[in-house]
Structures are given as C-alpha cells and as structure tokens.
Amino acid sequence: MNTQTNFPEVFGALADPTRFAIVERLLNEGDLPVGQLAEPFKMSAPAISRHLKLLESAGLIERRIEKQWRVCALKKERFADLHQWIERYRAFWNTSFDRLETLLDNQQGEDNDSSR
Amino acid sequence: MNTQTNFPEVFGALADPTRFAIVERLLNEGDLPVGQLAEPFKMSAPAISRHLKLLESAGLIERRIEKQWRVCALKKERFADLHQWIERYRAFWNTSFDRLETLLDNQQGEDNDSSR
DNA sequence: TCTTTAATTAACCTAATTGTTAAATGAAAA
DNA sequence: TTTTCATTTAACAATTAGGTTAATTAAAGA
C-alpha cells in the first residue's frame, strides 16, 4: 500500500485552520500564487510561507515558479492516499447506521451528530 | 454539508502517531478497553488517557463503561464525515494522472464509491 | 544599474502539546 | 469495610508550533 505516506504528518498539515483553508481554496479555485493565497489572512507573509512549506513537506501541495511568482497546486497523489485510507474505514462506518442511516441517505441536508 | 465537523480539530486528533495507531487498531481489532489499548505503547497510563480524551473530543471515538473497564470504540459519524470531505477532492485527484496513473493503478485498484 | 515586487530565511517570543509522577476516583473482589 | 484494579485528574517540565519583525534572495521593470 502507500507505506511512503506518513499519515500523522499529513493530518498534522491539515490540522491548522489556516492550512486547511488554503487547501480548500486550492481545490475550489485551482492553482494560486503565494501572494493571493496569503491575501485573505491577516497574517504576515512569513507565517503563510511557513504554512506552505509544511503543506509541501507533507506532500499536499507543490510550488512551481512562474515568472516572478511561486504558484501553489495540490498534489493528487496525497489526496488519493487519503482517500484510500478512509476507504478502509468504509466497511466500518457504512454498516448498520441504524436510525442514523436515513438521515445520512438524505445526502447531508444537515449533520446528525449529537455528541457535542 | 457537515458544517459542525471541525476538520482541523479532527485532523489534529489524527496527527499524533500514538493516536493514529490507536484508531487503526480499533478499526482492525474492534472495541477495546483502555488498558489493552495502552499495552503496546511504552508510555504511562495518564498519557494514553489524555490521547483518548482528545480522540473523544474530536468525535473519533467514544467510551462506554463495561464492568470495571472503559471500552473504546470508533464513532461512525466522524469517519463518514471524513469520507465526505475527501470525496470532494475526487474530481481533482481522480482525473488526468498523466504519467503517474500507471504507477498508481498498480497499487490501488478500482474505487467503488456509492455515496453520490 | 537601481528599484520594486514576491517570497523566503533568520532570530526571537509565547502558547500549546506531550510527556512525567503523585494523588484521586470509583467499581469489584476479598 | 478494606483492598485492589482500572482509569483519570492535577501539577509540572520539556519540546514543538505558530506568530512576529528584520534581513535576504531573486527576478522584473524603469
């Protein structure tokens, strides 16, 4: 399997709200240069730069140089790995949801967790 | 969608190797009492206890009392949430793998998603 | 060349995380 | 009821994470 994927490291990269938002944005808007990625946050450029470096080390993004900009892009492989990982849990979460299953089958009009 | 699922928090819970191993073990071996979960680690009981508390706060596990033991179990909802999240990236990672696709096809086989 | 723009690296500070040991809790067994 | 077992809480120390400002690099444009 994907023995080269260090899942705790990847999850650690996604564990910060800023980094998570960056990843989500790259999914929704496609590749973006560092400056534009930084713009929505009221955080210094060096802080963003370090977040991006961490995402890159975890293999979630890559940076390429384009003229005077560093453009960030999601790396497909890592997301494929994450998908494979969570798929292993399908047999568990997808069975006998009992009274929860109707709710979820409705395709998430809302969530159903009452634990918090 | 699952707006009340705090993904950075959930990822943070999975970002520690000990906690990740605990979650994997619960998937592979089913519900286990705290003492047995702690056994493979050369870490004090309080340390394990706090890891479990964090997993519980993130909604990844729950603890029930059974005789003199606290038995830990994975929570389906949270894994379903994670799956829904990564599914949103499928359109991205599943298309035009280009020269990578042969490499990855070797190991992952076909995916069988039924959630949409 | 000189200046500007884009981004990173360095040095530093504070807060959060993760581990420890000792004490506390609460149910079961004696 | 007293002891034992299973686990948690409290208090504390060491490390890591995440932010800041100042200095550096590197390419573009004047």
Side-chain angles (χ1 to χ4, degrees):
Chain A
M1 214 202 166
N2 294 297
T3 38
Q4 76 270 27
T5 295
N6 182 343
F7 285 103
E9 185 192 13
V10 173
F11 290 133
L14 295 167
D16 178 89
T18 301
R19 290 193 297 266
F20 182 75
I22 286 171
V23 167
E24 288 279 283
R25 184 133 175 256
L26 287 173
L27 176 71
N28 294 323
E29 304 182 27
D31 305 359
L32 287 170
V34 172
Q36 260 185 261
L37 277 175
E39 204 231 292
F41 304 99
K42 46 163 164 281
M43 196 181 289
S44 64
I48 297 293
S49 184
R50 284 198 3 203
H51 281 308
L52 294 174
K53 189 173 193 176
L54 210 149
L55 285 169
E56 195 173 39
S57 318
L60 285 164
I61 69 165
E62 62 193 347
R63 276 178 281 197
R64 62 174 185 275
I65 293 171
E66 227 163 81
K67 296 192 176 173
Q68 66 260 227
W69 299 285
R70 270 75 161 201
V71 177
C72 298
L74 296 181
K75 284 190 75 177
K76 296 174 192 299
E77 305 94 296
R78 204 52 80 234
F79 289 90
D81 292 349
L82 281 172
H83 188 267
Q84 280 182 253
W85 177 78
I86 193 64
E87 270 301 322
R88 292 176 45 242
Y89 287 74
R90 173 191 290 281
F92 162 73
W93 65 257
N94 212 19
T95 54
S96 55
F97 253 85
D98 299 336
R99 35 190 199 293
L100 282 172
E101 69 191 333
T102 29
L103 253 156
L104 284 176
D105 281 350
N106 280 352
Q107 197 61 337
Q108 68 273 128
E110 76 215 275
D111 190 32
N112 45 67
D113 181 18
S114 55
S115 75
R116 279 183 296 143
Chain B
M1 211 200 165
N2 295 297
T3 40
Q4 70 243 75
T5 294
N6 183 341
F7 287 103
E9 185 192 12
V10 173
F11 290 134
L14 294 167
D16 178 90
T18 302
R19 290 194 295 266
F20 180 75
I22 286 171
V23 167
E24 288 280 282
R25 184 133 176 257
L26 288 173
L27 175 70
N28 293 324
E29 304 182 26
D31 305 359
L32 286 170
V34 172
Q36 259 184 262
L37 276 175
E39 204 231 291
F41 304 100
K42 47 164 164 281
M43 195 180 292
S44 65
I48 296 293
S49 184
R50 284 199 3 203
H51 280 308
L52 294 173
K53 188 174 192 176
L54 209 150
L55 286 169
E56 195 173 38
S57 317
L60 285 164
I61 69 164
E62 61 194 348
R63 277 179 280 197
R64 62 176 186 272
I65 293 171
E66 227 163 82
K67 296 191 176 174
Q68 66 259 229
W69 299 286
R70 270 76 164 201
V71 176
C72 298
L74 296 181
K75 282 191 76 176
K76 296 173 193 298
E77 304 95 296
R78 203 52 81 236
F79 290 91
D81 292 348
L82 281 171
H83 188 267
Q84 280 181 251
W85 176 77
I86 194 65
E87 270 301 323
R88 293 177 44 243
Y89 287 73
R90 172 191 291 281
F92 162 72
W93 65 257
N94 212 19
T95 54
S96 57
F97 255 85
D98 299 336
R99 355 172 239 305
L100 278 172
E101 68 190 333
T102 30
L103 226 159
L104 287 174
D105 279 351
N106 275 348
Q107 51 191 204
Q108 76 190 24
E110 200 37 55
D111 191 280
N112 54 348
D113 176 40
S114 54
S115 79
R116 54 173 71 183

